[in-house]
Amino acid sequence: MKCVCEGIDLSDAVLKVVKACSSKTTVPVLECIKLTAKNDGLTLSATDGEISIIKTIKAEVYEEGEVCAPGKYFADFIKKLEGVQISLSSEGKKMDIDYADSQTTMQVLSADDFPRIDTEINENSFKLKTSDLKEFIRATSFCCATDDSRPILKGCQFVINDDNICVTSLDGFRLATITGKVTASTGNMEIICPARTLNEIEKMIPDGDGETEIFVQRGMILVASGNTVLTSRLYGGDFIKKENIIPKSFITTVVVEKSILKASIERAAILVRNDKNSLIIFDVSGDKIEISSASEIGNVQEPVKAETEGKDVRIAMNSKFIIDAVNALDEEKITLSFNNHIQPFTCMNFENKDKLYLILPVRTGGNNN
């Protein structure tokens, strides 16, 4: 293999595909980026068995061929060469990288052992505004589980029904759900996509007024943007039904200014950020929420003016969970709805009810409301 390309193009491509390189594997080739020089392009591919990313850039190809370069090392090295033209040439188990008046040699592996990446995924699809897809991902992926005890909870559920779409995630302690519209679909469908995949898609697709189409087939999805193609496995199994978790009615509702509430929560969270549950307490009564926290560092107690309706309630929660939920809402006023100190409560925008965040309280010995 021998080709020449611009450093800025190669660096951009490498930094995109290296995200799919495996960091925990006994199969060395999965830690690699496959470089394929063919026709007038250089194609970079990486996969860890779950997610795959392929990107093609322009290159002058003098000798067609393919090799597997060590992913992380190759990426770190190439991103230091954005301002120069780069020549790549391989023979046997080594690859020469020529740039300016310098040359570096890297050990490479044969591309024969690199797994085949299936890009023939087009049986079903749905299309939506790119800005909506980005918002769906940002609004839900942070609520996915991060451990492997229940793998299905590491993904977001997408349910398409006619032109409606609902995206839901949960980790056992909190839940996020958002509804919207698709612009086209081949039919009703339900998929559970890994949060990691969704976060890479969100970074990959450009901002703007365009649309993004997601293809689905045989437990796989494919998303293409420009010269970049991402494929990923989907999770199988039955996702938890949110209807069985979200309370159908509440005895206490609170309307509050988002910015004021957020600032108060963040101050209260500072003193408990090293505690296991980062516990803060909401005490709703009269026309206010009293927000408090206490640790060996000190204590905070702040009243926040609010419009309240229903019974008084005192409830403890993980400060990170409530901060994440409040940050994900985008109106000046938000609505909090409670039942008691042991049942989950919800956070929503005051007017647009397309997003809902549900949080499980933390039980404390001193809370008996």
Side-chain angles (χ1 to χ4, degrees), residues 135 255-262 325-335 347-355 357:
E135 179 61 17
V255 178
V256 62
E257 294 283 345
K258 173 187 166 178
S259 59
I260 298 174
L261 178 69
K262 177 186 172 183
V326 170
N327 280 337
L329 298 172
D330 44 29
E331 291 183 2
E332 292 181 3
K333 288 186 176 183
I334 62 176
T335 301
C347 310
M348 301 179 73
N349 286 319
F350 176 61
E351 293 183 353
N352 189 345
K353 306 299 184 184
D354 62 335
K355 297 178 191 173
Y357 296 93

Side-chain angles (χ1 to χ4, degrees), residues 142 173-174 261-282 291-295 300 315-328 336 345 347 357 359-362 364:
F142 67 86
F173 302 98
R174 54 180 172 167
L261 178 69
K262 177 186 172 183
S264 182
I265 295 170
E266 289 176 341
R267 285 190 291 270
I270 290 172
L271 297 188
V272 292
R273 63 189 176 195
N274 292 324
D275 294 353
K276 180 182 177 182
N277 289 315
S278 301
L279 198 68
I280 65 170
I281 293 173
F282 280 15
I291 298 172
S292 61
S293 68
S295 71
V300 174
I315 188 167
M317 67 199 70
N318 184 305
S319 61
K320 181 183 185 309
F321 293 170
I322 184 66
I323 289 171
D324 285 346
V326 170
N327 280 337
L336 306 172
F345 66 95
C347 310
Y357 296 93
I359 299 171
L360 196 65
V362 178
T364 61

